[in-house]
Amino acid sequence: MEAMKKSFLIALSNTIVVLLLAGSSTVVQACTPYDRAALLEFRSKLNEPYIGVFNTWKGQDCCNGWYGVSCDPNTHRVAGITLRGESEDPIFQRAKRSVLMTGSISPAICKLTSLSTIIIADWKGISGVIPNCITNLLFLRIVDLVGNRLSGVIPANIGRLQRLKVLNFADNQITGMIPTSVTSLTSLSHLDLRNNNITGVIPLDIGRLTMMSRLLLTGNKISGHIPESLTRIYRLADIELAMNRITGSIPASLGKMSVLATLNLDGNLISGEIPGTLMASSISNLNLSGNLITGKIPNTFGVRSYFTVLDLSKNRLQGPIPASITTASFIGHLDVSHNHLCGKIPTGSTFDRLEATSFAYNDCLCGKPLGNCRK
């Protein structure tokens, strides 16, 4: 009997030791007190009264159940903050439709030295500046602060973030120039600075960003020419530079880019003639409206020409609509209004479905859908 008791006590002791070790392991795997304190300091500068996204930020383990916080499973350091003001998450669907978070982005976020993702997007009420110290977070791959009221400038040393793939500061109130250090972000695939108050020029050596597929700068006060180096980014599919103060002519090499599908240059001060390369390129959405472009519409359309949108309106174009336009594979929307075009509108399936507004306010265009031409 004594031997059985002894064996039982030994087994019980071993079980207790295992449980204690397991409990100790769980504590080790929780987020570090340092990261937890940094998150709470970051949260203290934000106010979100409608949804309660921060109601889950309780307890010691910020890696478990804290809304929008993700951790590296190996190091248990905070690796991501994802807070979106427009989300399909059920927590948002149960809330009021008017979602708004106010406050500012605290520099405390820079204490989270393992961060690879910062998404604080579409809250429309977050103001203040972008903390300069984010350029010390060298593991960052995504920085998305779209849709707030952030002001100030883009941190000058943003180019230190060599792993960065997405940089999105669109729909804010950012001023100043595009930092020249941006061209050091050689892993960047998506640059979106739309709808801010950015001035200055596009960096001349932007062509160094060979991994970039989208360059979105619409709705700023950017001036200067379109850099020729831009056309050497062979992955670039979308270029949106509309509603700026860009001058000079359109580089003909834009039409030689193999995957470029969208080129929006409308609402600038661009002059010169339309390069013929654009009409036989891979571009399917071409908007040159509202510029100072002169000369004729190039007679270079062909079977490669496939346009969902071709908008050349509100320029100073002269001459006829070229006959080769009828050889295009497809033109969904065509607008050549508000120019100085003259002559008979070509006939064919492309033109049968277009309305008179597509050709209005020219010098002497005629034919369907306008009036008959004089003999």
Side-chain angles (χ1 to χ4, degrees):
M1 181 66 72
E2 282 300 318
M4 288 180 65
K5 278 185 180 180
K6 201 167 187 180
S7 297
F8 175 75
L9 288 172
I10 290 170
L12 183 61
S13 298
N14 288 339
T15 302
I16 291 170
V17 169
V18 170
L19 289 172
L20 286 172
L21 287 173
S24 172
S25 175
T26 301
V27 172
V28 170
Q29 289 178 358
C31 76
T32 67
Y34 184 84
D35 279 6
R36 180 180 178 276
L39 282 171
L40 291 176
E41 188 178 349
F42 160 76
R43 185 258 176 276
S44 70
K45 298 296 183 182
L46 297 169
N47 179 39
E48 192 285 290
Y50 298 109
I51 300 172
V53 295
F54 294 121
N55 291 348
T56 59
W57 287 32
K58 298 174 181 176
Q60 297 302 309
D61 188 2
C62 60
C63 291
N64 184 20
W66 284 37
Y67 185 86
V69 177
S70 59
C71 294
D72 185 306
N74 297 315
T75 64
H76 304 283
R77 298 295 306 275
V78 174
I81 298 176
T82 302
L83 301 171
R84 292 190 184 276
E86 297 175 0
S87 173
E88 297 299 321
D89 193 294
I91 193 173
F92 286 80
Q93 301 307 307
R94 293 193 296 269
K96 298 178 181 179
R97 291 185 64 187
S98 177
V99 177
L100 186 67
M101 184 187 290
T102 56
S104 61
I105 300 174
S106 169
I109 199 171
C110 303
K111 296 178 181 179
L112 301 167
T113 54
S114 295
L115 275 179
S116 64
T117 299
I118 300 175
I119 300 175
I120 307 169
D122 296 314
W123 292 101
K124 300 180 174 62
I126 297 176
S127 57
V129 301
I130 301 164
N132 276 313
C133 59
I134 68 165
T135 62
N136 296 325
L137 301 176
L138 301 182
F139 292 105
L140 278 176
R141 296 177 184 273
I142 298 173
V143 178
D144 185 349
L145 306 178
V146 61
N148 291 292
R149 294 180 185 170
L150 298 171
S151 56
V153 300
I154 299 170
N157 292 328
I158 198 77
R160 296 187 65 211
L161 304 179
Q162 292 292 296
R163 293 179 171 87
L164 204 62
K165 293 182 179 297
V166 174
L167 182 61
N168 188 351
F169 294 154
D171 300 322
N172 279 286
Q173 299 169 8
I174 294 169
T175 55
M177 300 174 64
I178 300 172
T180 55
S181 71
V182 161
T183 63
S184 297
L185 300 174
T186 52
S187 296
L188 197 67
S189 63
H190 181 106
L191 177 60
D192 191 349
L193 305 178
R194 288 176 294 180
N195 302 321
N196 281 286
N197 295 305
I198 294 170
T199 54
V201 301
I202 302 170
L204 292 179
D205 57 346
I206 196 167
R208 293 175 62 193
L209 304 182
T210 55
M211 301 299 290
M212 190 160 60
S213 62
R214 305 192 76 201
L215 175 65
L216 311 176
L217 304 178
T218 290
N220 283 286
K221 299 173 182 176
I222 296 169
S223 56
H225 294 193
I226 300 170
E228 186 75 31
S229 71
L230 188 66
T231 68
R232 295 198 291 270
I233 306 176
Y234 67 94
R235 295 174 183 264
L236 204 51
D238 296 328
I239 300 176
E240 297 190 11
L241 309 179
M243 307 307 294
N244 279 289
R245 299 172 181 175
I246 294 171
T247 55
S249 58
I250 301 170
S253 48
L254 281 171
K256 299 177 183 178
M257 298 177 70
S258 58
V259 298
L260 186 62
T262 297
L263 179 61
N264 286 345
L265 303 178
D266 53 300
N268 281 288
L269 301 170
I270 294 169
S271 56
E273 299 187 357
I274 300 172
T277 53
L278 296 186
M279 299 309 168
S281 67
S282 63
I283 299 170
S284 59
N285 183 341
L286 178 61
N287 192 341
L288 307 181
S289 175
N291 280 286
L292 306 173
I293 299 171
T294 56
K296 296 180 178 181
I297 300 173
N299 192 23
T300 53
F301 292 87
V303 291
R304 283 196 65 202
S305 307
Y306 187 103
F307 292 100
T308 54
V309 173
L310 178 56
D311 193 341
L312 309 178
S313 64
K314 299 177 183 175
N315 278 289
R316 300 175 180 180
L317 295 169
Q318 298 175 320
I321 298 173
S324 66
I325 199 170
T326 60
T327 66
S329 294
F330 178 77
I331 299 180
H333 172 79
L334 174 67
D335 193 346
V336 295
S337 65
H338 296 271
N339 279 289
H340 300 289
L341 300 175
C342 197
K344 186 178 180 180
I345 297 170
T347 57
S349 58
T350 294
F351 297 89
D352 290 343
R353 62 178 179 272
L354 296 176
E355 298 182 359
T357 52
S358 295
F359 307 96
Y361 299 101
N362 277 287
D363 288 359
C364 50
L365 281 180
C366 60
K368 188 180 179 181
L370 300 179
N372 293 331
C373 296
R374 294 180 182 177
K375 293 183 180 180

